């Protein structure tokens, strides 16, 4: 019984030792040491990995989109091609919207000008709500007054629309 226990213990220790040894050997053989910037991966290898990761992500997204299109087509009783076309149109619109927002943020206009534009868009939305009967004029005026006084949170739910780290 004792010899069996000893054998099992030696086998476990051997397997654990090999498990620790192989990664160390692989690292020692595959790496000439850290580069000048402390990174063990060259820029070229990093770029290749990033490109491979991007392609993999794109393939996964396409697969999810295909599965979604099949499911929606079945649920809605329309062709898969029409659903795929609609999804692509939606994605393109969202990409254009994001690009426009990035362009707007990076433009030279001041924070004050952006705040004025936000106020104008808010006023337009409130006017539409009044016209549709969703709000009274008094309610819309109260929201506008609160926004002008800075009582409403800005984009992202923070007062003034700025993240604390960016103040």
């Amino acid at each position: 019984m004792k010899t069996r226990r000893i054998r099992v213990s030696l086998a476990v220790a051997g397997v654990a030792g090999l498990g620790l040894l192989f990664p160390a050997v692989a690292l020692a053989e595959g790496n000439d040491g850290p580069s000048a910037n402390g990174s063990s991966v060259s820029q070229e290898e990093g770029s290749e990995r990033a490109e491979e990761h991007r392609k993999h992500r794109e393939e996964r997204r396409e697969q999810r989109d295909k599965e979604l299109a099949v499911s929606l087509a079945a649920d809605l009783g329309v062709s898969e091609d029409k659903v795929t076309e609609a999804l692509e149109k939606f994605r393109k619109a969202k990409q254009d919207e994001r690009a426009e927002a990035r362009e707007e943020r990076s433009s030279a206009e001041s924070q004050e000008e952006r705040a004025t534009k936000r106020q104008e868009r808010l006023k337009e939305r409130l006017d539409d709500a009044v016209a549709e009967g969703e709000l009274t004029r008094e309610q819309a005026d109260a929201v506008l007054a609160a926004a002008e006084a800075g009582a409403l949170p800005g984009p992202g739910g923070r007062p003034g629309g700025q993240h604390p780290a960016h103040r």
Side-chain angles (χ1 to χ4, degrees):
M1 186 77 163
K2 266 187 174 180
T3 57
R4 186 173 185 206
R5 198 177 288 167
I6 291 172
R7 286 183 191 162
V8 170
S9 297
L10 286 174
V12 169
V15 170
L18 286 175
L20 293 173
L21 178 66
F22 280 124
V25 170
L27 284 174
E29 288 178 357
N31 188 3
D32 294 336
S35 63
N37 66 1
S39 171
S40 62
V41 177
S42 72
Q43 274 189 326
E44 188 174 304
E45 289 173 339
S47 296
E48 289 173 6
R49 287 181 185 173
E51 181 63 22
E52 185 178 310
H53 181 69
R54 188 195 62 74
K55 285 180 182 177
H56 182 66
R57 240 185 19 241
E58 182 69 21
E59 289 170 1
R60 286 192 326 242
R61 185 191 59 79
E62 287 174 3
Q63 181 62 33
R64 282 192 313 267
D65 286 355
K66 179 147 181 65
E67 292 169 1
L68 177 63
V70 168
S71 176
L72 284 172
D75 289 348
L76 299 172
V78 296
S79 74
E80 185 180 327
D81 292 337
K82 284 187 176 186
V83 173
T84 301
E85 184 180 316
L87 288 172
E88 287 173 0
K89 185 177 177 182
F90 176 76
R91 179 172 289 109
K92 174 78 170 108
K94 290 304 270 181
Q95 286 174 345
D96 291 347
E97 187 177 296
R98 284 189 213 113
E100 187 177 301
R102 272 192 305 271
E103 188 176 306
E104 184 177 305
R105 282 192 305 266
S106 67
S107 70
E109 66 184 350
S110 71
Q111 186 175 5
E112 189 173 297
E113 290 170 334
R114 288 192 302 271
T116 301
K117 284 184 179 181
R118 277 193 304 271
Q119 261 329 88
E120 290 171 2
R121 288 192 304 263
L122 175 62
K123 183 175 181 348
E124 289 172 13
R125 289 194 311 270
L126 289 171
D127 288 343
D128 290 345
V130 169
E132 294 172 5
E134 295 174 0
L135 291 176
T136 65
R137 174 50 46 200
E138 292 78 27
Q139 290 170 324
D141 291 342
V143 171
L144 277 175
E148 288 171 359
L152 298 180
R158 291 179 175 84
Q162 289 186 345
H163 189 278
H166 299 286
R167 288 188 179 170

